[in-house]
Amino acid sequence: MGSLELQLIIFTFMLIAIFTTARWLYIRSMRIKNRVQMSYLFTNITHELLTPLTILSASVERLRAIRPEGKQEYDLMDLNIQRTVRLLQQILETSKSQAGELKLLVSNGDVMRYIMETARCIEPLMSSKNHVFTISCHPESMMGWIDTDKLDKIIFNLLSNAAKYTNPNGRVALDVTTNKRYDHIIIRVSDNGNGIPKDKMKNLFTRFYDGDYRRSQTTGTGLGLSLTRDLVYLHGGNIHCDSIEGQGTTFIVDLPINKEAFTPTQIDEKNRIMADIQHPSHPVLPDTLSPVESANIPVEPLAAEGSHRILIVEDNIELLLLMRQLLQSKYRIMTATNGVEALDVIRNNKIDLIVSDVMMPEMDGYELTKQIKEDDALSHLPIILLTAKTQESDRLEALTVGADEYITKPFRLGDLQLRIDNIIANRQRIHRDSPVEQEEENESDSTYTTLDQEFLKRATECLNEHITDSDYDRDAFAADMGASASTLYNKLRSLTGMNVTAFIRRHRISTACQMAKDYPDLRVSDIAYRVGFKDPKYFATTFKKEMGHQPKEYFDIIRKVQSDSSAT
C-alpha cells in the first residue's frame, strides 16, 4: 500500500470521526434544547393553571356566603384545589432544580421551634388518616441558619409521604436532634408502614418513579422524594433511608445550620426566622375546610361614593371581573389589564391602593411597581402584588421593587380584602394619630417609603423657608415643590390625610408650638407674626380649631411641662 493510499484511508477515517462526533453533538444539543423547551413549557403551564385555580377558589368562597348549606361540597372543592396547587408547586420546584435555578437563602432563628410549628401544620393530615403522630425536638430550642422555604418543603414531603403510605391507624413520628457541636440538625421521619423492598431502594429518589414500591393504593407525581433530595443537597446536607419490609421506613436528613456552612450570597442578615407565622408553601388541608364568614364576602352591588378607590390590574379577564365583583361592595373599583393601562389610569384618576398581578403582557407587575415607586407624584400609593411564584427570592424581589404586600395564587378573596383593609387602616391611623408636636418623627415613620420620607422632609424644609410669609399659599408651595397643584394635593392627601392648605396651616401651628418651647419670653402675638399670621386674633382662632385650646393657655401648659422636666 502506497503512502498516498494510506493518507487517503487516514483522511477518510478522520472525516468519519468528525462526522460522527458532529452528529452526536447535534443530537445531544437538540436533546438539551428540547429538555429546556419542555422545562419552560411545564413552568408556563403551571403558572397559567394557578390563575384559574384562584378563580375557582374565589368562586367557592362566594358560594359559601350565598348558599352556606352546601358546606360539604365546598369543603371537597377546597381540598382538591389545594391538592392541585401542591402538585403544581412541586412541578415548578422540579423544573427549577433541573435548570439549576434553585437558590439557597438562609436566615437566623430558632430552628427547632420553626420545625415544630411546621410539623404541627400537618397534624390535620395525620388525623384524617387516624395516624398517631408524634413530634419530638431535642433540644426544644436552638438557634441556627436555615432556608425556611426549602426546609418547609423537605418536612412536608417526608411527612405527607409517611402519612400516605402508612395504613390507617398507623404511627408516624418526627424526631429532630443535633450533633455534639450543635452545628447540624438530624431530622428523622419514621412510620410503621409496609416498608420498601430491597430491590426497589435503588430507585427511591429517581424522578418520576411512581412509588409502587410501597404497594399502597395511592397516587403521586413521582417528584416528591426526588425534589426532597435536591433540596437537601442544595442545603449542603445528606439524606438516606432505612426500611424493613413489613415493619416500616425511616428517612434521615442531616443539615448544617452554622453560618460558616454557607456562602455570603446565601446568607440573609436582614430577616429573622419567624416560627409563629403561617407557612405559605403548604396549605393546611382539613383546617382550611371551615365555613368562610359571610362578612368577608362582599355581595352588595356597589360601594358608596366616598369609598376608597382601588385599581385592580390583571390580564386574566375572568379573575379581574371576579375580583371586581367581590370587592366593589366596599371599594370604588377601577380596572386595567396590564401595567401600561394601569399607569394611564393612575395618572388620570385619584387612586388609594393598587392590586396587581405580576405576570402580564406589555408591562409586568414588577416594572409597574418600580415605575410607581420611582415617581415622586405616585410613590405614596400602596401596592399589593398577586403572583403564582412562591419562592422566597420572588417575594424578596417584590419587596425590593417597593411592593407593600405579596400574595401567592391561589388566594382567598377574604384574605385579599383583609390585606387591603389593613393597609388603608394603617394609613388612616398615621393621619389621625400624628400629633402636631411630632411632625419630624412622623417624617421618619417606618410605614412610609424612603421616597415618601424624602418628599415630606423636602415639603417641611420648603415651608420653613417661607414660614414668615403670610402670602405663601398652595400655588407657591406647589411651584417650589416642582409639582402641579393637583399632584401636590393628591400626594399630601394620601400621606397625611390633609389638603395643601391644611398642611401649610398645620405646619405653621406646629412651628408656633416649638417656638413657644424654645423662646419662653415670646408673646403670642410675636409668635403669630413669626409663623406667617398677619392678625394675632386670626392666629388664635386658627390655633383653637387645631389644638382645642387658646394659644396662651396651650403655651403655658407646654412651658410648664418643659420647666418641670428640666427641674427633675
Side-chain angles (χ1 to χ4, degrees):
M1 181 181 296
S3 60
L4 181 60
E5 291 176 336
L6 181 62
Q7 289 178 6
L8 286 173
I9 292 172
I10 293 173
F11 182 70
T12 301
F13 275 112
M14 288 178 63
L15 284 177
I16 293 173
I18 292 172
F19 175 77
T20 303
T21 303
R23 185 173 182 274
W24 178 81
L25 289 173
Y26 172 78
I27 293 173
R28 183 173 179 271
S29 65
M30 290 303 296
R31 286 175 179 171
I32 293 174
K33 181 179 179 181
N34 290 337
R35 189 160 59 244
V36 171
Q37 288 177 339
M38 287 302 295
S39 177
Y40 282 132
L41 178 63
F42 276 123
T43 300
N44 291 335
I45 289 175
T46 302
H47 279 299
E48 290 300 320
L49 287 174
L50 285 170
T51 294
L53 281 174
T54 300
I55 298 173
L56 290 174
S57 180
S59 299
V60 171
E61 190 176 354
R62 187 161 189 264
L63 285 172
R64 284 186 187 274
I66 299 173
R67 300 189 180 279
E69 63 273 12
K71 176 185 178 300
Q72 290 185 346
E73 288 76 10
Y74 304 144
D75 289 351
L76 185 62
M77 292 177 193
D78 271 337
L79 181 60
N80 281 279
I81 288 171
Q82 292 171 53
R83 283 175 174 166
T84 306
V85 170
R86 163 58 65 174
L87 295 176
L88 291 174
Q89 288 176 343
Q90 282 201 340
I91 293 174
L92 281 174
E93 289 285 299
T94 303
S95 177
K96 285 192 173 186
S97 178
Q98 284 183 301
E101 295 177 355
L102 282 179
K103 305 297 180 184
L104 197 71
L105 192 65
V106 298
S107 302
N108 185 244
D110 193 329
V111 176
M112 293 297 189
R113 186 180 169 207
Y114 182 86
I115 292 174
M116 187 171 293
E117 293 300 320
T118 300
R120 283 175 178 165
C121 291
I122 306 170
E123 285 181 334
L125 177 60
M126 300 297 178
S127 298
S128 68
K129 302 278 188 178
N130 293 321
H131 293 327
V132 176
F133 179 44
T134 58
I135 306 170
S136 174
C137 293
H138 299 287
E140 293 184 355
S141 177
M142 188 175 74
M143 301 299 287
W145 293 81
I146 55 171
D147 185 321
T148 54
D149 177 66
K150 308 301 183 292
L151 183 59
D152 201 45
K153 292 180 172 66
I154 292 169
I155 292 173
F156 184 85
N157 280 339
L158 293 178
L159 287 176
S160 62
N161 252 21
K164 185 189 302 182
Y165 295 115
T166 301
N167 294 328
N169 304 304
R171 294 192 307 273
V172 178
L174 171 69
D175 297 292
V176 189
T177 57
T178 184
N179 61 351
K180 294 181 179 179
R181 295 185 301 274
Y182 297 96
D183 59 358
H184 278 243
I185 54 171
I186 297 90
I187 303 170
R188 290 179 175 85
V189 175
S190 56
D191 63 63
N192 65 342
N194 295 326
I196 307 170
K198 290 184 178 180
D199 61 328
K200 303 294 184 181
M201 289 289 287
K202 63 180 179 180
N203 294 317
L204 197 58
F205 297 104
T206 301
R207 185 169 288 126
F208 300 121
Y209 187 60
D210 62 10
D212 63 349
Y213 56 83
R214 304 300 287 267
R215 293 170 300 186
S216 298
Q217 295 180 348
T218 184
T219 58
T221 60
L223 297 175
L225 286 179
S226 173
L227 176 61
T228 299
R229 179 197 57 186
D230 292 348
L231 296 176
V232 169
Y233 287 171
L234 182 68
H235 212 289
N238 291 296
I239 181 172
H240 71 275
C241 175
D242 296 329
S243 185
I244 301 176
E245 279 193 83
Q247 295 186 26
T249 302
T250 299
F251 284 91
I252 303 170
V253 175
D254 187 327
L255 296 176
I257 60 169
N258 57 320
K259 188 176 181 180
E260 293 71 25
F262 308 103
T263 65
T265 58
Q266 295 175 332
I267 296 172
D268 181 8
E269 297 274 9
K270 297 181 180 179
N271 298 300
R272 291 180 60 82
I273 297 170
M274 302 296 291
D276 55 351
I277 62 174
Q278 174 92 19
H279 300 296
S281 60
H282 57 80
V284 185
L285 301 183
D287 277 0
T288 55
L289 302 180
S290 56
V292 179
E293 294 292 337
S294 60
N296 291 334
I297 310 297
V299 293
E300 297 297 326
L302 288 174
E305 182 62 35
S307 303
H308 289 91
R309 298 192 177 204
I310 310 296
L311 172 62
I312 301 175
V313 192
E314 169 62 65
D315 63 321
N316 184 285
I317 301 301
E318 291 89 350
L319 181 56
L320 179 66
L321 294 177
L322 185 61
M323 284 193 288
R324 184 179 70 178
Q325 181 183 7
L326 295 179
L327 295 174
Q328 66 183 0
S329 68
K330 191 168 185 179
Y331 316 107
R332 304 293 292 180
I333 302 297
M334 305 186 78
T335 62
T337 57
N338 59 61
V340 175
E341 289 182 13
L343 284 175
D344 185 59
V345 173
I346 294 166
R347 286 169 176 153
N348 291 284
N349 298 274
K350 181 184 180 301
I351 301 294
D352 295 303
L353 185 142
I354 301 163
V355 177
S356 174
D357 188 25
V358 169
M359 299 180 68
M360 297 182 295
E362 295 192 55
M363 181 188 293
D364 64 18
Y366 290 148
E367 181 62 28
L368 172 63
T369 302
K370 184 178 178 182
Q371 290 203 24
I372 289 173
K373 295 302 180 178
E374 290 178 350
D375 189 328
D376 284 347
L378 306 176
S379 62
H380 60 283
L381 292 174
I383 301 175
I384 299 174
L385 288 180
L386 311 174
T387 180
K389 298 181 177 182
T390 60
Q391 292 292 306
E392 179 67 14
S393 57
D394 299 319
R395 186 184 72 85
L396 290 176
E397 181 179 359
L399 297 178
T400 299
V401 297
D404 296 81
E405 284 281 2
Y406 181 84
I407 303 177
T408 56
K409 295 178 179 179
F411 57 87
R412 294 181 182 275
L413 263 295
D415 293 340
L416 174 60
Q417 181 173 310
L418 181 62
R419 304 286 184 95
I420 293 173
D421 288 344
N422 286 342
I423 291 176
I424 290 175
N426 199 33
R427 291 293 176 105
Q428 289 176 329
R429 176 188 60 77
I430 294 171
H431 301 163
R432 182 182 64 251
D433 298 340
S434 201
V436 175
E437 296 90 338
Q438 296 179 355
E439 193 170 81
E440 291 184 2
E441 293 180 17
N442 292 332
E443 289 170 18
S444 61
D445 193 301
S446 60
T447 308
Y448 293 128
T449 65
T450 302
L451 288 174
D452 291 340
Q453 293 175 23
E454 292 176 355
F455 175 85
L456 290 174
K457 181 180 179 182
R458 189 154 52 90
T460 301
E461 291 172 349
C462 190
L463 291 179
N464 285 337
E465 292 175 2
H466 301 86
I467 193 68
T468 60
D469 184 358
S470 58
D471 295 324
Y472 193 71
D473 58 10
R474 64 179 185 178
D475 292 329
F477 185 21
D480 288 341
M481 290 292 291
S484 66
S486 61
T487 297
L488 182 62
Y489 169 85
N490 289 333
K491 184 82 171 178
L492 289 176
R493 189 76 176 180
S494 176
L495 293 178
T496 68
M498 293 179 281
N499 60 32
V500 180
T501 302
F503 184 79
I504 296 173
R505 182 173 63 246
R506 172 68 68 91
H507 184 73
R508 292 188 190 276
I509 297 299
S510 176
T511 304
C513 292
Q514 190 61 47
M515 282 186 181
K517 293 180 182 179
D518 296 340
Y519 307 101
D521 297 332
L522 279 180
R523 297 177 300 175
V524 171
S525 58
D526 294 331
I527 292 175
Y529 293 134
R530 292 192 182 193
V531 296
F533 284 87
K534 294 179 180 179
D535 183 359
K537 290 184 179 180
Y538 178 63
F539 169 71
T541 301
T542 304
F543 193 97
K544 177 83 183 303
K545 288 181 179 178
E546 288 285 338
M547 307 303 297
H549 298 277
Q550 288 294 335
K552 186 177 186 310
E553 178 186 353
Y554 190 85
F555 293 165
D556 288 344
I557 292 173
I558 61 176
R559 284 166 177 169
K560 185 177 185 306
V561 171
Q562 187 177 30
S563 177
D564 292 344
S565 177
S566 300
T568 56

